[in-house]
Amino acid sequence: ALWGSPSDVILKTSGWWRPDLLVIGCHEFAHTDQSKMGSVSLEVVHQASCSVRVSRAGVSRTGPVLLIIGNDGSKEGQSLTQAVARRSWPENTEAQVLSFVEPPGDHREQGRERLNQAVEDSIQHLQRAGLTVRGSVVDGNPRQELVREAERRNADTIFVGGSRESGRFLLGGISPAVVTKARCTVEVVR
């Protein structure tokens, strides 16, 4: 037992121990009141230098484990796919890789081609790791669509990147929005 603010104690211990992954529980569902979403969980997601898994008790279901993976086509997106592929998953685990084209722009089709290639590369990498995988590039806002797809498919976990550098899955954007809104477990991979 340690004394102090839970997020401070977790982050200080993490800095000393340097884990690959922090797992933290969060029982609140943001869809009821975002202001009550676990402040400890969100603080750890924002400040940790390693990957953070925010675990929530899921709705009980039968069938294979289902993962939703957000890949923005960046270097961090590749690292995210590699992190998922390195894990040991139960037989018949399913993964869905999603990438998003946001508001229309002059380079929209070029961006779509790059994202299609990133999704295809992720699919191949995850299939080699033994997962059943499908993927697509979707028009829409990843902050909303990742959560929506996870709810629609009753996913076990959403994986998103959590880079502090350039890229679309920044801590100020997609990662905390997904952590805040998702009803399932969310892992922010760094």
Side-chain angles (χ1 to χ4, degrees):
L2 300 171
W3 179 261
S5 157
S7 57
D8 288 344
V9 170
I10 292 167
L11 291 167
K12 285 178 186 173
T13 303
S14 172
W16 168 75
W17 196 7
R18 296 186 180 157
D20 296 317
L21 175 67
L22 280 172
V23 180
I24 189 164
C26 181
H27 58 82
E28 300 92 349
F29 287 146
H31 68 280
T32 58
D33 183 356
Q34 286 188 10
S35 66
K36 293 182 181 176
M37 193 275 174
S39 59
V40 173
S41 301
L42 215 49
E43 184 69 21
V44 170
V45 165
H46 278 285
Q47 299 296 323
S49 58
C50 63
S51 296
V52 178
R53 183 175 184 91
V54 180
S55 296
R56 292 185 173 95
V59 177
S60 124
R61 68 179 184 86
T62 59
V65 171
L66 177 59
L67 313 173
I68 303 291
I69 302 167
N71 184 340
D72 67 350
S74 69
K75 182 177 160 184
E76 288 80 15
Q78 292 173 345
S79 296
L80 172 62
T81 299
Q82 292 167 1
V84 173
R86 281 192 300 268
R87 302 256 179 98
S88 294
W89 297 103
E91 190 174 338
N92 300 320
T93 295
E94 297 177 13
Q96 181 172 0
V97 180
L98 296 173
S99 198
F100 300 90
V101 177
E102 286 194 83
D106 295 337
H107 304 289
R108 187 177 173 116
E109 286 311 309
Q110 288 175 321
R112 186 178 299 280
E113 289 174 26
R114 180 182 64 79
L115 293 173
N116 277 326
Q117 186 59 55
V119 167
E120 186 57 37
D121 291 347
S122 292
I123 289 171
Q124 290 176 10
H125 194 77
L126 293 165
Q127 284 175 334
R128 286 192 299 270
L131 281 74
T132 302
V133 190
R134 65 185 193 165
S136 57
V137 176
V138 181
D139 291 329
N141 182 327
R143 290 168 194 81
Q144 298 162 353
E145 297 302 323
L146 284 166
V147 172
R148 213 173 268 148
E149 185 63 13
E151 287 180 9
R152 186 182 78 74
R153 305 260 338 262
N154 198 20
D156 294 288
T157 304
I158 301 171
F159 285 87
V160 292
S163 173
R164 296 180 188 270
E165 300 171 22
S166 63
R168 293 180 50 210
F169 290 119
L170 293 172
L171 286 170
I174 294 167
S175 297
V178 172
V179 167
T180 302
K181 294 175 183 173
R183 296 178 187 196
C184 65
T185 295
V186 178
E187 187 164 324
V188 180
V189 178
R190 295 191 180 93

